Amino acid sequence: MTDALKRLSDEGVAIWLDDLSRKRITSGNLAELIDQQHVVGVTTNPSIFQKAISSGDGYEVQLSDLAAREVTVEEAIRMITTADVRDAADILRPVFDATQGQDGRVSIEVDPRLAHNTAATIAEAKQLAWLVDRPNTLIKIPATKAGLPAITEVIGKGISVNVTLIFSLERYREVMDAYLAGLEKAKAAGLDLSKIHSVASFFVSRVDTEIDKRLEGLGTDEAKALKGKAALANARLAYQAFEEVFSSDRWAALDKAQANKQRPLWASTGVKDPSYKDTLYVDDLVAPGTVNTMPEATLEATADHGQITGNTIAGTYEQARADLDAVEKLGIAYDDVVQLLETEGVDKFEDAWNDLLKSTEAELKRLAPSEG
């Protein structure tokens, strides 16, 4: 076992776990990962909760109580998920305090069915922040067109946000703009900007999955030589955009008011293609001021054989741009790919949420007290 995770942390990369379940909380496993594996945050999404709750492990008592109260399935899910997030936030509270609120964070997502409804997203974000009632929560809002004004409004109310499902460089710039606009609103309202935090979840592996499929379809040597390059190129150019925005005059004014930078978070960092090294999206995306949220398998792989060799983003921008241009020249339209990935991303989370509704409803019926 190497201490690659410590080296990664020392390079300024915050290591977050992309998973949560009640068993992980109650068994002491989450506390152990924080203590031994340099984990300083947790992200959740509808797919993660669907998997955790459907397993039934640790949820039966609460589900029985909810069934006895005859709550709606939507209320049951919110009670269960916010309880897990609250407990995880309490476990991470010492990290939150030690890092002045930067890490020690737990993310919870607005109902994915609201992804194209700005007003409902804002209302849901406020409700989730109130329900969890922990200062180290991040409310996840998808980076859809409807999500952008919601981000501004929610940040403007002093609620910290994890912007999720970012695939394109253009949308990422819009997300940063929405964040800055939110900070400006919060400042105008007299809020303490030092208490507002945000990360921008830029998805990595799914870009390779889609572009590699199209390169494979072309079948030429030139196309095959570009496999496995697009996702890293895309993420590295996102970091370049981050550096530009957070060194601008607009940012300087907010910086003076003690605002926090919105850190890029590398999401979807588990490798989908077994022919790639399983730590690819960790080893090759090292830069200060970033977050890498890893599924447990990727975390373990990095701990075991990750190759952390310092900053692997600095000095790569020219090559990254050349790689994306080369893909485009082969007739694979970047804008088409990223729009498809955003649509699929929202749909996948919505499908997972609907599956969660169905399985929870079945459990509530099963556990409902018999009449008489």
Side-chain angles (χ1 to χ4, degrees):
M1 185 75 74
T2 68
D3 208 353
L5 292 172
K6 182 181 187 305
R7 290 202 300 280
L8 187 62
S9 184
D10 289 345
E11 287 292 338
V13 180
I15 299 163
W16 291 8
L17 177 71
D18 193 26
D19 190 54
L20 187 63
S21 67
R22 190 153 298 176
K23 187 179 180 186
R24 195 182 285 286
I25 292 165
T26 57
S27 67
N29 173 260
L30 179 58
E32 192 177 282
L33 291 174
I34 295 162
D35 186 48
Q36 298 175 15
Q37 300 282 54
H38 308 280
V39 168
V40 294
V42 169
T43 48
T44 68
N45 62 46
S47 301
I48 286 168
F49 275 129
Q50 193 271 331
K51 186 178 163 193
I53 296 168
S54 298
S55 76
D57 211 344
Y59 295 99
E60 187 126 326
V61 172
Q62 189 179 10
L63 278 164
S64 294
D65 289 346
L66 292 165
R69 287 172 51 213
E70 298 181 356
V71 303
T72 65
V73 64
E74 277 91 354
E75 186 183 348
I77 287 169
R78 276 303 175 220
M79 291 297 104
I80 292 166
T81 57
T82 54
D84 280 357
V85 168
R86 194 178 305 114
D87 289 345
D90 288 343
I91 294 167
L92 278 154
R93 184 59 189 261
V95 177
F96 174 81
D97 292 337
T99 60
Q100 287 76 53
Q102 180 162 261
D103 289 307
R105 295 275 176 177
V106 187
S107 298
I108 184 168
E109 190 141 356
V110 297
D111 185 332
R113 295 172 299 178
L114 307 178
H116 303 295
N117 184 329
T118 302
T121 294
I122 294 164
E124 172 98 341
K126 287 157 61 181
Q127 170 76 354
L128 282 174
W130 176 82
L131 263 178
V132 176
D133 193 27
R134 294 294 184 272
N136 50 331
T137 311
L138 289 172
I139 307 302
K140 287 179 89 173
I141 296 176
T144 55
K145 277 291 185 190
L148 295 169
I151 293 157
T152 296
E153 283 300 312
V154 172
I155 290 288
K157 293 180 187 304
I159 297 170
S160 294
V161 171
N162 175 346
V163 184
T164 188
L165 291 174
I166 308 169
F167 295 95
S168 84
L169 295 166
E170 181 186 1
R171 184 57 53 84
Y172 178 43
R173 285 185 180 274
E174 291 173 338
V175 164
M176 289 188 283
D177 182 69
Y179 175 61
L180 297 185
L183 288 176
E184 287 157 355
K185 273 194 154 202
K187 185 182 173 189
L191 299 182
D192 180 355
L193 299 194
S194 72
K195 304 283 191 210
I196 304 170
H197 287 260
S198 184
V199 293
S201 295
F202 199 87
F203 278 57
V204 184
S205 68
R206 294 186 196 181
V207 173
D208 269 344
T209 301
E210 182 59 33
I211 288 181
D212 283 0
K213 182 172 75 179
R214 299 184 186 203
L215 291 168
E216 195 66 47
L218 292 172
T220 64
D221 290 343
E222 188 184 9
K224 287 177 182 173
L226 287 167
K227 282 184 68 182
K229 292 187 175 178
L232 288 176
N234 201 37
R236 286 166 169 173
L237 291 172
Y239 191 78
Q240 181 184 34
F242 160 74
E243 288 183 313
E244 284 173 13
V245 169
F246 289 98
S247 59
S248 65
D249 291 342
R250 184 183 183 191
W251 169 249
L254 291 163
D255 190 35
K256 269 187 197 158
Q258 309 298 308
N260 298 290
K261 290 179 181 177
Q262 181 187 56
R263 289 181 292 171
L265 177 150
W266 310 129
S268 181
T269 54
V271 171
K272 306 285 195 292
D273 188 329
S275 70
Y276 298 157
K277 63 177 179 175
D278 54 3
T279 58
L280 176 66
Y281 304 124
V282 179
D283 298 350
D284 290 11
L285 288 175
V286 177
T290 59
V291 180
N292 195 312
T293 187
M294 309 178 203
E296 191 168 23
T298 305
L299 183 75
E300 288 174 354
T302 304
D304 182 62
H305 52 264
Q307 296 175 317
I308 309 304
T309 56
N311 189 323
T312 47
I313 292 183
T316 64
Y317 302 147
E318 201 175 318
Q319 185 61 53
R321 175 46 62 200
D323 287 341
L324 286 190
D325 286 348
V327 168
E328 190 92 35
K329 277 178 191 150
L330 291 176
I332 297 170
Y334 175 85
D335 289 345
D336 175 54
V337 169
V338 292
Q339 185 54 59
L340 174 71
L341 290 172
E342 180 186 302
T343 303
E344 283 182 351
V346 172
D347 288 348
K348 279 177 187 170
F349 282 169
E350 193 170 325
D351 288 346
W353 194 258
N354 287 329
D355 287 345
L356 179 55
L357 285 168
K358 283 180 203 154
S359 56
T360 303
E361 188 171 36
E363 282 297 284
L364 290 171
K365 280 181 182 166
R366 183 177 72 81
L367 295 165
S370 54
E371 293 179 15

